[in-house]
Amino acid sequence: TSASMQMHQVMMDGMKQMQSMQPSGDVDQDYAKMIEKHHAQAVRMTQAYLKGAKDPKLKAWAQKSLESQQQELEPLQAMNLDGES
């Protein structure tokens, strides 16, 4: 389905982004950047899933997960440790 293809593309794009990240040597900055990308990818993947979701239980779980991921992502983006985000 289209949603399946979108989820796959999000996953592939996220993997490329993570592989291209260069550690700065600052463990705090590196952790924040990596976990921010991880949560952002989860948000995009869940948004793609919800476009084609069929199973009501999984769809409800995904919606809760989306809200949780977004709440966790916001403070990371607000920290803006290195001018990115």
Side-chain angles (χ1 to χ4, degrees), residues 2-56:
S2 176
S4 290
M5 293 303 292
Q6 288 177 352
M7 287 189 308
H8 184 262
Q9 189 61 52
V10 166
M11 182 184 67
M12 297 304 291
D13 291 347
M15 287 173 36
K16 288 178 189 174
Q17 287 179 1
M18 291 296 284
Q19 289 174 342
S20 70
M21 287 181 64
Q22 296 296 317
S24 71
D26 180 324
V27 69
D28 295 321
Q29 182 180 13
D30 291 343
Y31 174 77
K33 285 173 59 177
M34 287 181 210
I35 202 71
E36 179 184 358
K37 291 196 182 304
H38 172 76
H39 283 294
Q41 181 180 357
V43 165
R44 289 190 306 274
M45 191 171 176
T46 302
Q47 289 170 332
Y49 164 71
L50 289 170
K51 291 178 185 177
K54 295 177 184 168
D55 183 280

